[in-house]
């Protein structure tokens, strides 16, 4: 029997690209259904992440044509949480789920290879960029630096993989057991250990609009991943403290020696440098510790990751609206 596939697409202010994205992805689904590789119950799930433009009204209009479900979050929860909202809905209505961005930079023709790998027993199929030769130098440098830092911190990632992947619904049911407020999906899926495969593709230029991941968000995302998966920064702070203590002890012995031998000369520069150095180390250490304390603070409150405000699913009836909402056929 052909599997039921759902394609989850988080959207934030995507009114410029949505009609073309829906047309292209719907066409790919129809092609796979006609070839017998997918069930005709397969669908697209657009998740509106609190957009301020006409994104939601476009999704509602698209849903009247069938094979499209729309989920509207009550506020801008962030790309990853919007993605999780779509995954948690889709896992109950499909055999496997593909997640992708709305800008059509992810090559939809790769879906054929995803389905092939899934039919051969892979539970997770990662779409990874073949190279970054088209990126500007700064973008390429920061991206590669991100993966190297994450690897050094002990976080298991698929190199040059974002959120273009196929996941079996059984894997998503296990993902539901992860109760963190902030789920770093790019690290969680490789750590789950299911049979997987990497499919390489060439990433295209954005169809329209602006990127939703500027440098500020990229840095925040990297810190999110490190703090979610590694305690190495805390251990690093301890080692820095020990090294500084040893250096200060050596300088203390040297200072006393110079004093007792009569060679000491008051030095403004050495005093100021030592103050600046120790002060910067202390502030950096407090900042790292603060990141983890902030994570603890957010986790213990146990607030919902997202709240669903509205749905547009003509083929479904609403069973429950809220965190991890379920819609029954």
């Amino acid at each position: 029997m052909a599997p039921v596939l759902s394609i989850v697409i988080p959207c934030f202010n995507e009114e410029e690209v949505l009609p073309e994205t829906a047309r292209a992805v719907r066409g790919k689904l129809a092609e796979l259904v006609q070839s017998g590789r997918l069930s005709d119950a397969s669908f697209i799930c657009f998740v509106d992440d609190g957009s301020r433009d006409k994104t939601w009204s476009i999704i509602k209009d698209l849903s009247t044509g069938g094979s499209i479900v729309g989920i509207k979050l009550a506020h801008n929860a962030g790309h990853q949480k919007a993605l999780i909202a779509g995954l948690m809905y889709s896992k109950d209505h499909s055999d496997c789920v593909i997640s992708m961005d709305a800008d059509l930079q992810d090559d939809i023709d790769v879906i054929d290879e995803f389905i092939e790998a899934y039919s051969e027993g892979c539970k997770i199929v990662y779409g990874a960029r073949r190279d970054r030769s088209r990126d500007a130098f700064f973008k390429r440098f920061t991206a590669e630096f991100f993966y190297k830092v994450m690897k050094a911190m002990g976080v298991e990632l698929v190199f040059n993989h974002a959120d273009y992947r196929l996941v079996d619904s059984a894997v998503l049911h296990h993902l539901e057991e992860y109760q963190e407020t902030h789920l770093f999906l790019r690290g969680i899926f490789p750590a789950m250990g299911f049979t997987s495969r990497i499919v390489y593709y060439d990433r295209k230029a954005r169809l329209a609009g602006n990127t939703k991941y500027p440098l500020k968000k990229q840095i925040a995302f990297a810190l999110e991943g490190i703090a979610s998966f590694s305690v190495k920064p805390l251990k690093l702070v301890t080692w820095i403290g020990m090294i500084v203590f040893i250096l200060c002890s050596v300088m203390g012995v040297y200072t006393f020696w110079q004093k007792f031998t009569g060679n000491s000369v008051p030095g403004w520069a050495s005093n100021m440098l030592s103050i600046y150095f120790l002060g910067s180390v202390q502030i950096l250490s407090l900042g790292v510790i603060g990141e983890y304390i902030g994570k603890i603070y957010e986790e213990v409150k146990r607030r919902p990751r997202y709240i669903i405000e509205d749905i547009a699913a003509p083929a479904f009836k609403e069973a429950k609206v809220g965190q991890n909402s379920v819609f029954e056929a």
Side-chain angles (χ1 to χ4, degrees):
M1 181 180 295
V4 177
L5 170 70
S6 60
I7 300 179
V8 174
I9 305 178
C11 305
F12 178 66
N13 295 340
E14 300 286 4
E15 64 178 1
E16 296 180 65
V17 300
L18 264 181
E20 177 60 22
T21 299
R23 185 200 64 77
V25 179
R26 183 182 270 168
K28 171 55 67 174
L29 272 184
E31 175 188 322
L32 291 168
V33 170
Q34 290 173 4
S35 66
R37 301 178 66 184
L38 289 180
S39 166
D40 58 5
S42 300
F43 62 95
I44 305 167
C45 178
F46 287 109
V47 183
D48 177 22
D49 186 22
S51 298
R52 294 185 291 271
D53 59 5
K54 298 179 180 178
T55 295
W56 178 241
S57 62
I58 294 174
I59 292 174
K60 289 181 71 174
D61 290 340
L62 290 170
S63 67
T64 60
S67 74
I68 289 182
V69 173
I71 299 176
K72 177 178 173 57
L73 302 188
H75 67 294
N76 180 226
H79 178 273
Q80 293 294 287
K81 292 180 180 178
L83 177 55
I84 292 169
L87 295 176
M88 291 301 101
Y89 164 70
S90 297
K91 68 178 174 56
D92 296 319
H93 303 286
S94 56
D95 299 305
C96 53
V97 182
I98 289 178
S99 58
M100 61 181 295
D101 292 336
D103 53 20
L104 286 184
Q105 286 188 277
D106 299 320
D107 186 0
I108 60 175
D109 289 329
V110 177
I111 293 177
D112 298 65
E113 297 182 57
F114 283 3
I115 300 300
E116 181 180 354
Y118 174 74
S119 65
E120 293 174 357
C122 293
K123 298 297 184 182
I124 305 175
V125 186
Y126 302 101
R129 297 182 63 167
R130 201 181 310 275
D131 59 58
R132 290 183 173 271
S133 58
R134 296 183 180 180
D135 289 350
F137 171 78
F138 182 75
K139 173 68 175 178
R140 184 167 61 252
F141 173 79
T142 53
E144 292 178 353
F145 181 72
F146 163 76
Y147 286 105
K148 290 177 180 178
V149 169
M150 297 296 280
K151 183 177 180 179
M153 291 293 107
V155 184
E156 184 180 356
L157 293 180
V158 176
F159 188 70
N160 276 342
H161 163 70
D163 289 302
Y164 192 27
R165 67 177 76 88
L166 178 148
V167 184
D168 186 274
S169 60
V171 176
L172 294 177
H173 278 87
H174 287 292
L175 178 67
E176 191 175 17
E177 299 171 6
Y178 288 71
Q179 296 299 311
E180 295 102 318
T181 299
H182 300 283
L183 284 177
F184 186 66
L185 297 178
R186 298 186 196 181
I188 287 178
F189 282 122
M192 293 177 78
F194 288 95
T195 304
S196 63
R197 182 181 300 176
I198 301 175
V199 174
Y200 294 95
Y201 69 99
D202 294 316
R203 193 166 170 84
K204 301 178 180 179
R206 184 179 175 85
L207 184 64
N210 300 314
T211 177
K212 303 304 184 295
Y213 263 100
L215 181 60
K216 181 180 178 181
K217 285 191 175 183
Q218 290 177 24
I219 294 175
F221 186 67
L223 294 176
E224 179 79 40
I226 292 172
S228 297
F229 270 84
S230 177
V231 296
K232 282 191 176 182
L234 291 175
K235 295 180 179 179
L236 184 61
V237 167
T238 302
W239 280 103
I240 291 175
M242 293 175 63
I243 293 172
V244 171
F245 175 76
I246 293 172
L247 290 175
C248 290
S249 299
V250 172
M251 288 301 298
V253 172
Y254 174 75
T255 301
F256 278 114
W257 173 258
Q258 292 293 88
K259 177 70 175 178
F260 289 125
T261 57
N263 296 323
S264 62
V265 177
W268 177 85
S270 59
N271 285 335
M272 295 305 294
L273 286 173
S274 62
I275 290 172
Y276 287 148
F277 176 69
L278 291 175
S280 62
V281 169
Q282 290 172 352
I283 293 173
L284 175 63
S285 301
L286 288 173
V288 172
I289 295 170
E291 283 289 328
Y292 283 88
I293 293 176
K295 290 291 181 187
I296 296 171
Y297 171 71
E298 292 179 345
E299 292 294 339
V300 298
K301 289 187 291 186
R302 307 308 299 164
R303 292 180 179 176
R305 298 188 187 115
Y306 53 83
I307 298 174
I308 295 177
E309 177 183 341
D310 194 9
I311 60 170
F316 300 86
K317 64 179 182 179
E318 181 181 354
K320 175 183 177 183
V321 176
Q323 184 189 16
N324 296 343
S325 296
V326 177
F327 306 93
E328 297 180 346

